[in-house]
Structures are given as structure tokens and as C-alpha cells.
Amino acid sequence: MNLTDTYLLNNGVKIPVVGFGTWQTPDGDVAKHAVKTALNVGYRHIDTAAAYGNEESVGQAIKESGVDRHDIFLTSKLWNADHGYAETKAALDLSLQKLGTDYLDLYLIHWPNPQAFRNEWQERNADSWRAMEEALKEGKVRAIGISNFRRQHIDALLKTATVVPAVNQNYLNPSDLQEDVLAANAEHGILNEAYSPLGTGRLLQNETVKQIAAAHGVSVPQVLLRWSLQHGFLPLPKSTHDEYIKANAEIFNFTLSNQELQLLDGLRGVAGLATDPDQAKF
């Protein structure tokens, strides 16, 4: 397995098994350099979002990298203010414009239940999904999915959807395995993407993870990313430092034992749990 190996999504599209995340990566030179470094190292899967505010820099980095756009799997996401049919169509077009591309490989509903639409979230999601299904037919996107959706949100969406989500991107790491979300995704053949695979950095000082890393002669982030892969997740590590971007890609030359996986699975809560989307204040 390596960076260009793929999972097969439920619609037949192939997606590289590791993605390069850009959450909290500042727009401008920082984002451009990070993405170009990632592509140079060998990443072929870049994840951004309208809410990250860096789509223009990500798009520019892809152009300047010299890597053919068709060799890159590019994801963006619909933000909360744009839920609804017409709003989603406009938001997608704006993301395409900022990224400087005529299609996305994956487009996600970023959040299932924004505070502004808490009394009508089901209808808003259904309308957004209808627009995304149309974009799929039009070739503006190759796959559509969701993010931060729990079982109840998936069930509600599937009442009107004609296309099953290909991906559900969630806070997944040893601190929170979100078992019910994983079970719901499995029932529908939805791939689990893992954002914050390092627990937003809070797992890096955990003694259990450090001991496992030392046993394999690898770094703590490498252990956490390997854990994600061995669970069948698609991790999305992020960094703006060249050495970490490179190291986070070097996770294919060791294997965690079943005992080590169990030890890591037992770390629930040490780096916090996923935000409840029905209670979030945004």
C-alpha cells in the first residue's frame, strides 16, 4: 500500500487512501506551499472546504505543482449558510471558480444541522442533496457525500435521496471511534474519512501512543495514521511544515499488532469527543 493506492467508493470512483487536509491552513503563501509540498511528496488527494477560506490558494497550488489535475482527487464542502437548493448550486459554482477547476472529485455537506436552520435541517439537507445529485449528473462532481452526519441525519437524508452518500467525513481517532456512526456508514457502504486523525494534536503526548511508536521506531503521528488505515478509514493529516508533511506520508512500512490496536482503541476521551452536530453553536 502507498499514497496512490485507492479505496473504491460505492459509486465506483476510486479515492486515494490518504488525503492531505487544509483545515486551519492560512490562505496565501502558507496554503500554497503546503499543498505544493504535499503534491511533491506524492499525495494525490487534497481536501479543502469553503469554510476554510483557502480554496483559491489550494487551486493555485495545484496549477503551479505541475501535477495533472486529473491525477489529483480534490474535495471541497458546502458550508452552513448555503444549505438549500439554489444556495448549494451557487456555492458549488463559487468553489469551482475559486479552485480554478471545472469539476470536483468529491463534494460534501459539511455539517448536518446548522444552528440557523435547526427547525428545518431535514428539508435544507434534502434540497442541498438534490442540487448535489444534479451536479453529479452534470459532471461538476464525481462523487457526493456528507460530513459530521450521525445516524439520524443519514436516515433523514436517505428518505429523499436517490444517490447514497459515498463518504462520511468525521472526527475519528483513538479518542473517539464513533461506533454508531461507523455502523450506520457500514450499512450503506459509506466510506469513513477521518479528520483530526491526531486528535487536533492532543494525542501526540499520550504515553500509550508514544510507547507504541518507540516500539516500531516511528513517530507518534505515524502510529495514529497507521491506526486509521488499519481500521479501514481514510485519514486526512494536515501540516504546514515540510518535514511533517513528508513524515505523515511514510506510514506503509510497518503494521500495528491486534494488541496495539486494542490499546489505542481504549483511549476513548483522552483527546475529547466529536462535537454533537445537533448542539453546536454554528
Side-chain angles (χ1 to χ4, degrees):
M1 183 179 281
N2 57 53
L3 281 177
T4 58
D5 281 346
T6 57
Y7 290 121
L8 189 66
L9 298 178
N10 59 19
N11 68 344
V13 169
K14 294 180 178 179
I15 182 171
V17 296
V18 177
F20 183 72
T22 62
W23 178 52
Q24 293 183 330
T25 301
D27 196 36
D29 290 342
V30 173
K32 283 173 58 178
H33 180 79
V35 172
K36 285 197 285 187
T37 300
L39 291 169
N40 185 56
V41 165
Y43 290 86
R44 290 297 179 264
H45 177 180
I46 306 297
D47 181 275
T48 185
Y52 300 170
N54 58 20
E55 286 176 312
E56 290 177 332
S57 297
V58 169
Q60 193 63 37
I62 289 171
K63 283 185 178 179
E64 294 177 8
S65 72
V67 179
D68 191 296
R69 166 68 184 92
H70 298 290
D71 292 333
I72 297 170
F73 193 100
L74 180 60
T75 300
S76 195
K77 310 178 190 75
L78 176 77
W79 187 234
N80 294 358
D82 297 318
H83 284 211
Y85 177 77
E87 295 89 342
T88 297
K89 281 185 167 291
L92 173 57
D93 286 344
L94 182 59
S95 285
L96 291 171
Q97 177 187 327
K98 287 184 174 181
L99 286 161
T101 185
D102 57 3
Y103 74 98
L104 288 173
D105 297 278
L106 179 63
Y107 195 51
L108 307 177
I109 297 179
H110 205 151
W111 200 256
N113 190 357
Q115 188 175 34
F117 304 126
R118 201 137 283 171
N119 294 326
E120 52 175 338
W121 64 267
Q122 297 99 323
E123 295 84 357
R124 289 278 180 166
N125 283 346
D127 288 343
S128 289
W129 197 252
R130 181 162 56 93
M132 290 164 65
E133 288 182 347
E134 289 181 7
L136 190 64
K137 292 177 182 176
E138 294 165 359
K140 289 184 176 181
V141 296
R142 297 177 63 227
I144 53 178
I146 52 182
S147 183
N148 299 293
F149 275 53
R150 304 283 176 92
R151 179 181 290 276
Q152 67 270 25
H153 308 120
I154 296 171
D155 290 344
L157 187 69
L158 292 177
K159 289 179 181 177
T160 57
T162 63
V163 175
V164 175
V167 163
N168 191 4
Q169 186 179 124
N170 276 286
Y171 181 84
L172 288 174
N173 55 60
S175 187
D176 195 352
L177 262 167
Q178 296 206 59
E179 287 89 347
D180 190 52
V181 172
L182 299 187
N185 291 339
E187 289 166 18
H188 301 290
I190 300 171
L191 178 69
N192 297 289
E193 280 192 333
Y195 73 75
S196 298
L198 311 183
T200 61
R202 287 178 288 178
L203 283 167
L204 299 183
Q205 299 305 316
N206 181 271
E207 288 302 321
T208 298
V209 190
K210 288 165 73 172
Q211 288 170 12
I212 293 172
H216 287 275
V218 299
S219 71
V220 167
Q222 287 168 332
V223 166
L224 295 168
L225 296 172
R226 184 70 202 180
W227 172 91
S228 196
L229 279 181
Q230 287 186 225
H231 272 289
F233 305 157
L234 194 162
L236 299 166
K238 63 166 288 287
S239 181
T240 58
H241 301 284
D242 292 10
E243 65 271 26
Y244 296 150
I245 292 172
K246 183 175 186 294
N248 288 344
E250 296 170 349
I251 54 175
F252 303 102
N253 59 354
F254 70 100
T255 301
L256 300 173
S257 69
N258 289 335
Q259 182 181 12
E260 289 168 334
L261 289 173
Q262 290 172 4
L263 285 171
L264 293 168
D265 291 352
L267 297 179
R268 177 174 170 80
V270 300
L273 303 175
T275 300
D276 183 344
D278 294 328
Q279 301 296 326
K281 303 300 183 183
F282 53 83

